[in-house]
Amino acid sequence: MKIDVLTLFPEMFAPINASILKRAQENNLLSLEVANIRDYSKDTHRKCDDYPYGGGNGMVMTPQPLYDSIMDKKTPNSKVIYLSPKGKVFNQKKAISLAKEEHLIFVCGHYEGVDERVLQLCVDEEISIGDFVLTGGELACMVVIDALARNIAGVLGNEESKNDESFSLPLLEYPQYTRPQVFEGLEVPQVLLSGNHKEVDKFRLEQSIEITKQRRPDLYEKYLKMKDEK
Ligand code: 4G3
């Protein structure tokens, strides 16, 4: 997959070239390019923002540099995504479907957002990572890229990716333990040491159900309904 990011702050994207996403790029499963919107400004001072028509607080990103940067990256197979608090809320299902795209272009807004006409002209989809406001779309963009990249075939070891079925189940993850068997007086549950895989699976499912019931009553209701339908 090819991903283009358009931002006024390319330096914010350093973390995306570490760890698993670094390996994905080295293995040519993912190609990530971050471009500076300012490089497209035709203004003498490379300005990319201006006061909002109608007044109000803060600045708005001007359409020209944004429009030109998007058009420069766009191909017939691209999907252009804008990160904003008024987008459709991102989830695991969306992460899986975006992982199947050929070319994604992420547009990161700063200040109080971008001129609406750019969204109208170029943006295919508006996505939010949750009901809160960030200083810019960059962190939201990295969240979406990380979540989708781990669903590209080959990016994770196959054992790791299997675990995601816990989110379509829909139950929260069961607790995990590793060595030592006793840590600060706390013991690993006996059943996990038994070697009885059927009992282990049963224990984990019970744990998942219990933690979901406690922490996410909304998911628990969904789970009960799904079980009934079976
Ligand atoms: C206001 C995305 C702020 C308007 C972006 C863009 C939160 C999210 C911004 C606008 C963001 C999110 C930039 N904050 N919840 N800040 O995904 O168009």
Side-chain angles (χ1 to χ4, degrees):
M1 163 176 319
K2 172 79 194 293
I3 297 179
D4 279 297
V5 175
L6 300 169
T7 171
L8 287 172
F9 301 94
E11 67 277 11
M12 283 185 75
F13 285 82
I16 218 155
N17 296 310
S19 184
I20 290 167
L21 294 194
K22 179 182 179 182
R23 193 179 66 194
Q25 291 176 81
E26 286 166 355
N27 294 342
N28 297 318
L29 299 167
L30 176 67
S31 159
L32 196 85
E33 272 176 52
V34 183
N36 195 335
I37 295 163
R38 199 172 298 283
D39 292 342
Y40 292 86
S41 177
K42 288 174 177 154
D43 177 86
T44 29
H45 306 290
R46 304 220 301 160
K47 221 170 111 84
C48 291
D49 64 322
D50 213 329
Y51 299 99
Y53 276 120
N57 276 331
M59 302 293 270
V60 176
M61 282 172 73
T62 55
Q64 178 274 316
L66 269 168
Y67 182 83
D68 288 352
S69 65
I70 297 168
M71 286 309 159
D72 185 38
K73 302 297 180 188
K74 223 169 151 77
T75 70
N77 300 316
S78 337
K79 179 173 253 182
V80 181
I81 296 172
Y82 179 63
L83 289 310
S84 102
K86 68 169 190 270
K88 191 168 175 210
V89 178
F90 187 67
N91 59 21
Q92 185 64 21
K93 192 176 150 204
K94 190 75 201 170
I96 291 166
S97 74
L98 285 180
K100 297 176 176 107
E101 295 284 339
E102 188 174 312
H103 182 208
L104 295 174
I105 301 172
F106 286 97
V107 180
C108 303
H110 233 85
Y111 319 114
E112 304 306 308
V114 307
D115 189 291
E116 187 66 24
R117 292 164 295 184
V118 172
L119 305 182
Q120 216 177 306
L121 290 168
C122 321
V123 170
D124 298 308
E125 234 175 294
E126 215 169 317
I127 290 179
S128 165
I129 62 161
D131 291 336
F132 44 83
V133 183
L134 303 164
T135 57
E138 285 79 7
L139 287 169
C141 177
M142 281 188 270
V143 166
V144 172
I145 291 174
D146 189 278
L148 77 87
R150 61 192 291 293
N151 292 296
I152 298 171
V155 166
L156 294 186
N158 29 1
E159 7 98 47
E160 294 166 276
S161 54
K162 270 254 165 137
N163 224 351
D164 281 10
E165 279 159 35
S166 65
F167 241 101
S168 46
L169 237 183
L171 290 172
L172 299 181
E173 280 178 16
Y174 50 78
Q176 300 273 17
Y177 301 88
T178 185
R179 288 196 290 181
Q181 203 172 314
V182 183
F183 181 72
E184 296 286 315
L186 297 177
E187 297 216 23
V188 173
Q190 211 46 48
V191 60
L192 298 179
L193 314 171
S194 69
N196 185 336
H197 295 297
K198 230 182 120 184
E199 283 301 310
V200 168
D201 287 349
K202 184 168 158 273
F203 171 76
R204 286 176 167 171
L205 180 61
E206 284 165 3
Q207 291 280 308
S208 279
I209 292 168
E210 190 48 39
I211 199 158
T212 305
K213 192 175 169 185
Q214 281 174 19
R215 295 188 187 175
R216 292 289 303 273
D218 57 322
L219 286 183
Y220 181 67
E221 286 305 315
K222 212 166 136 185
Y223 166 72
L224 290 181
K225 268 188 201 155
M226 272 186 51
K227 228 177 54 168
D228 284 348
E229 282 161 19
K230 277 186 190 167

PDB file of all heavy atoms in Angstrom, residues 82-86 109-114 119 126-138 140, ligand 1:
ATOM      1  N   TYR A  82      -9.639  13.101   5.328  1.00  0.00           N
ATOM      2  CA  TYR A  82      -9.375  14.255   6.185  1.00  0.00           C
ATOM      3  C   TYR A  82      -9.709  13.892   7.629  1.00  0.00           C
ATOM      4  O   TYR A  82     -10.764  13.319   7.912  1.00  0.00           O
ATOM      5  CB  TYR A  82     -10.219  15.453   5.727  1.00  0.00           C
ATOM      6  CG  TYR A  82     -10.020  16.691   6.567  1.00  0.00           C
ATOM      7  CD1 TYR A  82      -8.772  17.318   6.634  1.00  0.00           C
ATOM      8  CD2 TYR A  82     -11.065  17.232   7.308  1.00  0.00           C
ATOM      9  CE1 TYR A  82      -8.581  18.448   7.404  1.00  0.00           C
ATOM     10  CE2 TYR A  82     -10.878  18.377   8.083  1.00  0.00           C
ATOM     11  CZ  TYR A  82      -9.634  18.971   8.122  1.00  0.00           C
ATOM     12  OH  TYR A  82      -9.441  20.093   8.895  1.00  0.00           O
ATOM     13  N   LEU A  83      -8.782  14.193   8.557  1.00  0.00           N
ATOM     14  CA  LEU A  83      -8.989  13.896   9.977  1.00  0.00           C
ATOM     15  C   LEU A  83      -9.603  15.109  10.655  1.00  0.00           C
ATOM     16  O   LEU A  83      -9.017  16.196  10.614  1.00  0.00           O
ATOM     17  CB  LEU A  83      -7.645  13.582  10.653  1.00  0.00           C
ATOM     18  CG  LEU A  83      -6.927  12.271  10.326  1.00  0.00           C
ATOM     19  CD1 LEU A  83      -7.891  11.104  10.450  1.00  0.00           C
ATOM     20  CD2 LEU A  83      -6.261  12.289   8.988  1.00  0.00           C
ATOM     21  N   SER A  84     -10.759  14.923  11.256  1.00  0.00           N
ATOM     22  CA  SER A  84     -11.374  16.045  11.968  1.00  0.00           C
ATOM     23  C   SER A  84     -12.366  15.539  13.011  1.00  0.00           C
ATOM     24  O   SER A  84     -12.885  14.427  12.908  1.00  0.00           O
ATOM     25  CB  SER A  84     -12.071  16.987  10.983  1.00  0.00           C
ATOM     26  OG  SER A  84     -13.463  16.772  10.987  1.00  0.00           O
ATOM     27  N   PRO A  85     -12.610  16.367  14.027  1.00  0.00           N
ATOM     28  CA  PRO A  85     -13.542  15.949  15.082  1.00  0.00           C
ATOM     29  C   PRO A  85     -14.962  15.722  14.572  1.00  0.00           C
ATOM     30  O   PRO A  85     -15.758  15.090  15.251  1.00  0.00           O
ATOM     31  CB  PRO A  85     -13.519  17.130  16.068  1.00  0.00           C
ATOM     32  CG  PRO A  85     -12.287  17.899  15.745  1.00  0.00           C
ATOM     33  CD  PRO A  85     -12.047  17.702  14.290  1.00  0.00           C
ATOM     34  N   LYS A  86     -15.314  16.232  13.390  1.00  0.00           N
ATOM     35  CA  LYS A  86     -16.672  15.990  12.909  1.00  0.00           C
ATOM     36  C   LYS A  86     -16.753  14.865  11.881  1.00  0.00           C
ATOM     37  O   LYS A  86     -17.799  14.664  11.249  1.00  0.00           O
ATOM     38  CB  LYS A  86     -17.331  17.290  12.418  1.00  0.00           C
ATOM     39  CG  LYS A  86     -16.769  17.925  11.180  1.00  0.00           C
ATOM     40  CD  LYS A  86     -17.759  19.034  10.738  1.00  0.00           C
ATOM     41  CE  LYS A  86     -17.435  19.579   9.371  1.00  0.00           C
ATOM     42  NZ  LYS A  86     -16.513  20.722   9.405  1.00  0.00           N
ATOM     43  N   GLY A 109      -5.250  18.821   9.072  1.00  0.00           N
ATOM     44  CA  GLY A 109      -5.557  20.225   9.286  1.00  0.00           C
ATOM     45  C   GLY A 109      -4.950  20.721  10.578  1.00  0.00           C
ATOM     46  O   GLY A 109      -4.720  19.943  11.501  1.00  0.00           O
ATOM     47  N   HIS A 110      -4.653  22.011  10.627  1.00  0.00           N
ATOM     48  CA  HIS A 110      -4.183  22.614  11.864  1.00  0.00           C
ATOM     49  C   HIS A 110      -5.047  23.827  12.155  1.00  0.00           C
ATOM     50  O   HIS A 110      -6.011  24.078  11.465  1.00  0.00           O
ATOM     51  CB  HIS A 110      -2.708  22.992  11.725  1.00  0.00           C
ATOM     52  CG  HIS A 110      -1.875  22.426  12.826  1.00  0.00           C
ATOM     53  ND1 HIS A 110      -1.361  21.156  12.790  1.00  0.00           N
ATOM     54  CD2 HIS A 110      -1.510  22.948  14.016  1.00  0.00           C
ATOM     55  CE1 HIS A 110      -0.693  20.936  13.897  1.00  0.00           C
ATOM     56  NE2 HIS A 110      -0.768  22.004  14.663  1.00  0.00           N
ATOM     57  N   TYR A 111      -4.714  24.579  13.212  1.00  0.00           N
ATOM     58  CA  TYR A 111      -5.511  25.752  13.601  1.00  0.00           C
ATOM     59  C   TYR A 111      -6.968  25.332  13.814  1.00  0.00           C
ATOM     60  O   TYR A 111      -7.208  24.309  14.430  1.00  0.00           O
ATOM     61  CB  TYR A 111      -5.383  26.860  12.544  1.00  0.00           C
ATOM     62  CG  TYR A 111      -3.979  27.024  12.028  1.00  0.00           C
ATOM     63  CD1 TYR A 111      -3.642  26.745  10.719  1.00  0.00           C
ATOM     64  CD2 TYR A 111      -2.949  27.416  12.897  1.00  0.00           C
ATOM     65  CE1 TYR A 111      -2.350  26.889  10.263  1.00  0.00           C
ATOM     66  CE2 TYR A 111      -1.649  27.555  12.446  1.00  0.00           C
ATOM     67  CZ  TYR A 111      -1.356  27.280  11.131  1.00  0.00           C
ATOM     68  OH  TYR A 111      -0.075  27.385  10.685  1.00  0.00           O
ATOM     69  N   GLU A 112      -7.924  26.076  13.278  1.00  0.00           N
ATOM     70  CA  GLU A 112      -9.334  25.749  13.472  1.00  0.00           C
ATOM     71  C   GLU A 112      -9.885  24.925  12.308  1.00  0.00           C
ATOM     72  O   GLU A 112     -11.092  24.819  12.125  1.00  0.00           O
ATOM     73  CB  GLU A 112     -10.155  27.028  13.652  1.00  0.00           C
ATOM     74  CG  GLU A 112      -9.680  27.918  14.793  1.00  0.00           C
ATOM     75  CD  GLU A 112      -9.589  27.184  16.119  1.00  0.00           C
ATOM     76  OE1 GLU A 112     -10.574  26.557  16.518  1.00  0.00           O
ATOM     77  OE2 GLU A 112      -8.509  27.250  16.755  1.00  0.00           O
ATOM     78  N   GLY A 113      -8.988  24.375  11.490  1.00  0.00           N
ATOM     79  CA  GLY A 113      -9.447  23.551  10.376  1.00  0.00           C
ATOM     80  C   GLY A 113      -9.069  24.145   9.025  1.00  0.00           C
ATOM     81  O   GLY A 113      -8.221  25.027   8.942  1.00  0.00           O
ATOM     82  N   VAL A 114      -9.699  23.631   7.982  1.00  0.00           N
ATOM     83  CA  VAL A 114      -9.349  24.049   6.616  1.00  0.00           C
ATOM     84  C   VAL A 114     -10.571  24.664   5.933  1.00  0.00           C
ATOM     85  O   VAL A 114     -11.704  24.461   6.361  1.00  0.00           O
ATOM     86  CB  VAL A 114      -8.832  22.847   5.780  1.00  0.00           C
ATOM     87  CG1 VAL A 114      -7.697  22.141   6.491  1.00  0.00           C
ATOM     88  CG2 VAL A 114      -9.949  21.854   5.477  1.00  0.00           C
ATOM     89  N   LEU A 119     -12.526  20.483   1.228  1.00  0.00           N
ATOM     90  CA  LEU A 119     -13.179  19.228   1.625  1.00  0.00           C
ATOM     91  C   LEU A 119     -14.189  18.827   0.547  1.00  0.00           C
ATOM     92  O   LEU A 119     -14.267  17.662   0.144  1.00  0.00           O
ATOM     93  CB  LEU A 119     -13.874  19.387   2.975  1.00  0.00           C
ATOM     94  CG  LEU A 119     -12.996  19.876   4.144  1.00  0.00           C
ATOM     95  CD1 LEU A 119     -13.806  19.951   5.426  1.00  0.00           C
ATOM     96  CD2 LEU A 119     -11.795  18.946   4.323  1.00  0.00           C
ATOM     97  N   GLU A 126     -14.236  11.798   5.710  1.00  0.00           N
ATOM     98  CA  GLU A 126     -13.774  12.530   6.886  1.00  0.00           C
ATOM     99  C   GLU A 126     -13.842  11.573   8.069  1.00  0.00           C
ATOM    100  O   GLU A 126     -14.883  10.970   8.331  1.00  0.00           O
ATOM    101  CB  GLU A 126     -14.690  13.743   7.101  1.00  0.00           C
ATOM    102  CG  GLU A 126     -13.958  14.951   7.631  1.00  0.00           C
ATOM    103  CD  GLU A 126     -14.799  16.227   7.601  1.00  0.00           C
ATOM    104  OE1 GLU A 126     -15.501  16.469   6.593  1.00  0.00           O
ATOM    105  OE2 GLU A 126     -14.744  16.963   8.578  1.00  0.00           O
ATOM    106  N   ILE A 127     -12.718  11.429   8.771  1.00  0.00           N
ATOM    107  CA  ILE A 127     -12.626  10.463   9.873  1.00  0.00           C
ATOM    108  C   ILE A 127     -12.225  11.172  11.165  1.00  0.00           C
ATOM    109  O   ILE A 127     -11.370  12.050  11.166  1.00  0.00           O
ATOM    110  CB  ILE A 127     -11.594   9.354   9.535  1.00  0.00           C
ATOM    111  CG1 ILE A 127     -12.129   8.459   8.417  1.00  0.00           C
ATOM    112  CG2 ILE A 127     -11.255   8.512  10.764  1.00  0.00           C
ATOM    113  CD1 ILE A 127     -11.171   7.359   8.005  1.00  0.00           C
ATOM    114  N   SER A 128     -12.842  10.757  12.284  1.00  0.00           N
ATOM    115  CA  SER A 128     -12.459  11.221  13.618  1.00  0.00           C
ATOM    116  C   SER A 128     -11.973  10.019  14.419  1.00  0.00           C
ATOM    117  O   SER A 128     -12.496   8.919  14.273  1.00  0.00           O
ATOM    118  CB  SER A 128     -13.681  11.827  14.321  1.00  0.00           C
ATOM    119  OG  SER A 128     -13.430  11.963  15.712  1.00  0.00           O
ATOM    120  N   ILE A 129     -10.958  10.230  15.267  1.00  0.00           N
ATOM    121  CA  ILE A 129     -10.516   9.105  16.103  1.00  0.00           C
ATOM    122  C   ILE A 129     -11.230   9.108  17.460  1.00  0.00           C
ATOM    123  O   ILE A 129     -10.947   8.273  18.318  1.00  0.00           O
ATOM    124  CB  ILE A 129      -8.989   9.035  16.287  1.00  0.00           C
ATOM    125  CG1 ILE A 129      -8.446  10.274  16.984  1.00  0.00           C
ATOM    126  CG2 ILE A 129      -8.295   8.807  14.949  1.00  0.00           C
ATOM    127  CD1 ILE A 129      -7.051  10.056  17.589  1.00  0.00           C
ATOM    128  N   GLY A 130     -12.141  10.046  17.678  1.00  0.00           N
ATOM    129  CA  GLY A 130     -12.882  10.066  18.934  1.00  0.00           C
ATOM    130  C   GLY A 130     -13.379  11.460  19.258  1.00  0.00           C
ATOM    131  O   GLY A 130     -12.992  12.416  18.611  1.00  0.00           O
ATOM    132  N   ASP A 131     -14.225  11.540  20.268  1.00  0.00           N
ATOM    133  CA  ASP A 131     -14.861  12.817  20.583  1.00  0.00           C
ATOM    134  C   ASP A 131     -13.992  13.708  21.452  1.00  0.00           C
ATOM    135  O   ASP A 131     -14.277  13.914  22.639  1.00  0.00           O
ATOM    136  CB  ASP A 131     -16.226  12.570  21.242  1.00  0.00           C
ATOM    137  CG  ASP A 131     -17.225  11.981  20.262  1.00  0.00           C
ATOM    138  OD1 ASP A 131     -17.039  12.181  19.035  1.00  0.00           O
ATOM    139  OD2 ASP A 131     -18.193  11.341  20.707  1.00  0.00           O
ATOM    140  N   PHE A 132     -12.909  14.206  20.858  1.00  0.00           N
ATOM    141  CA  PHE A 132     -12.030  15.167  21.522  1.00  0.00           C
ATOM    142  C   PHE A 132     -11.294  15.953  20.446  1.00  0.00           C
ATOM    143  O   PHE A 132     -11.236  15.530  19.290  1.00  0.00           O
ATOM    144  CB  PHE A 132     -11.030  14.453  22.447  1.00  0.00           C
ATOM    145  CG  PHE A 132     -10.410  13.235  21.828  1.00  0.00           C
ATOM    146  CD1 PHE A 132      -9.316  13.356  20.992  1.00  0.00           C
ATOM    147  CD2 PHE A 132     -10.933  11.972  22.076  1.00  0.00           C
ATOM    148  CE1 PHE A 132      -8.732  12.233  20.412  1.00  0.00           C
ATOM    149  CE2 PHE A 132     -10.366  10.849  21.497  1.00  0.00           C
ATOM    150  CZ  PHE A 132      -9.273  10.978  20.664  1.00  0.00           C
ATOM    151  N   VAL A 133     -10.766  17.107  20.834  1.00  0.00           N
ATOM    152  CA  VAL A 133     -10.096  17.989  19.868  1.00  0.00           C
ATOM    153  C   VAL A 133      -8.595  18.003  20.120  1.00  0.00           C
ATOM    154  O   VAL A 133      -8.140  18.136  21.261  1.00  0.00           O
ATOM    155  CB  VAL A 133     -10.668  19.430  19.957  1.00  0.00           C
ATOM    156  CG1 VAL A 133     -10.019  20.331  18.903  1.00  0.00           C
ATOM    157  CG2 VAL A 133     -12.186  19.423  19.785  1.00  0.00           C
ATOM    158  N   LEU A 134      -7.829  17.844  19.055  1.00  0.00           N
ATOM    159  CA  LEU A 134      -6.367  17.892  19.105  1.00  0.00           C
ATOM    160  C   LEU A 134      -5.909  19.210  18.479  1.00  0.00           C
ATOM    161  O   LEU A 134      -6.681  19.881  17.792  1.00  0.00           O
ATOM    162  CB  LEU A 134      -5.783  16.718  18.325  1.00  0.00           C
ATOM    163  CG  LEU A 134      -6.225  15.313  18.771  1.00  0.00           C
ATOM    164  CD1 LEU A 134      -5.894  14.277  17.706  1.00  0.00           C
ATOM    165  CD2 LEU A 134      -5.567  14.964  20.092  1.00  0.00           C
ATOM    166  N   THR A 135      -4.635  19.568  18.692  1.00  0.00           N
ATOM    167  CA  THR A 135      -4.126  20.818  18.103  1.00  0.00           C
ATOM    168  C   THR A 135      -3.987  20.693  16.593  1.00  0.00           C
ATOM    169  O   THR A 135      -3.922  21.685  15.888  1.00  0.00           O
ATOM    170  CB  THR A 135      -2.772  21.215  18.723  1.00  0.00           C
ATOM    171  OG1 THR A 135      -1.861  20.128  18.536  1.00  0.00           O
ATOM    172  CG2 THR A 135      -2.910  21.518  20.195  1.00  0.00           C
ATOM    173  N   GLY A 136      -3.929  19.468  16.104  1.00  0.00           N
ATOM    174  CA  GLY A 136      -3.843  19.251  14.663  1.00  0.00           C
ATOM    175  C   GLY A 136      -4.268  17.843  14.325  1.00  0.00           C
ATOM    176  O   GLY A 136      -4.432  17.009  15.222  1.00  0.00           O
ATOM    177  N   GLY A 137      -4.441  17.547  13.043  1.00  0.00           N
ATOM    178  CA  GLY A 137      -4.867  16.217  12.627  1.00  0.00           C
ATOM    179  C   GLY A 137      -3.742  15.189  12.630  1.00  0.00           C
ATOM    180  O   GLY A 137      -3.989  13.993  12.413  1.00  0.00           O
ATOM    181  N   GLU A 138      -2.494  15.625  12.889  1.00  0.00           N
ATOM    182  CA  GLU A 138      -1.337  14.739  12.729  1.00  0.00           C
ATOM    183  C   GLU A 138      -1.376  13.501  13.628  1.00  0.00           C
ATOM    184  O   GLU A 138      -1.115  12.380  13.159  1.00  0.00           O
ATOM    185  CB  GLU A 138      -0.026  15.515  12.966  1.00  0.00           C
ATOM    186  CG  GLU A 138       0.379  16.444  11.825  1.00  0.00           C
ATOM    187  CD  GLU A 138      -0.385  17.771  11.805  1.00  0.00           C
ATOM    188  OE1 GLU A 138      -1.143  18.036  12.766  1.00  0.00           O
ATOM    189  OE2 GLU A 138      -0.238  18.535  10.841  1.00  0.00           O
ATOM    190  N   ALA A 140      -3.968  12.161  15.081  1.00  0.00           N
ATOM    191  CA  ALA A 140      -5.100  11.332  14.647  1.00  0.00           C
ATOM    192  C   ALA A 140      -4.703  10.528  13.412  1.00  0.00           C
ATOM    193  O   ALA A 140      -5.000   9.331  13.313  1.00  0.00           O
ATOM    194  CB  ALA A 140      -6.317  12.211  14.362  1.00  0.00           C
TER     195      ALA A 140
HETATM  196  C1  4G3 B   1     -10.661  21.462  14.364  1.00  0.00           C
HETATM  197  C2  4G3 B   1      -8.928  15.328  14.376  1.00  0.00           C
HETATM  198  C3  4G3 B   1      -9.441  20.796  14.656  1.00  0.00           C
HETATM  199  C4  4G3 B   1     -11.182  21.347  13.076  1.00  0.00           C
HETATM  200  C5  4G3 B   1      -8.306  16.563  14.192  1.00  0.00           C
HETATM  201  C6  4G3 B   1      -9.312  19.999  12.419  1.00  0.00           C
HETATM  202  C7  4G3 B   1      -9.247  15.886  16.652  1.00  0.00           C
HETATM  203  C8  4G3 B   1      -9.409  14.997  15.626  1.00  0.00           C
HETATM  204  C9  4G3 B   1      -8.775  20.100  13.679  1.00  0.00           C
HETATM  205  C10 4G3 B   1     -10.521  20.618  12.125  1.00  0.00           C
HETATM  206  C11 4G3 B   1      -8.186  17.418  15.265  1.00  0.00           C
HETATM  207  C12 4G3 B   1     -10.113  13.678  15.850  1.00  0.00           C
HETATM  208  C13 4G3 B   1      -7.506  19.403  13.983  1.00  0.00           C
HETATM  209  N1  4G3 B   1      -8.647  17.063  16.471  1.00  0.00           N
HETATM  210  N2  4G3 B   1     -10.922  13.588  16.902  1.00  0.00           N
HETATM  211  N3  4G3 B   1      -7.606  18.657  15.179  1.00  0.00           N
HETATM  212  O1  4G3 B   1      -9.926  12.765  15.089  1.00  0.00           O
HETATM  213  O2  4G3 B   1     -11.037  20.523  10.888  1.00  0.00           O
END
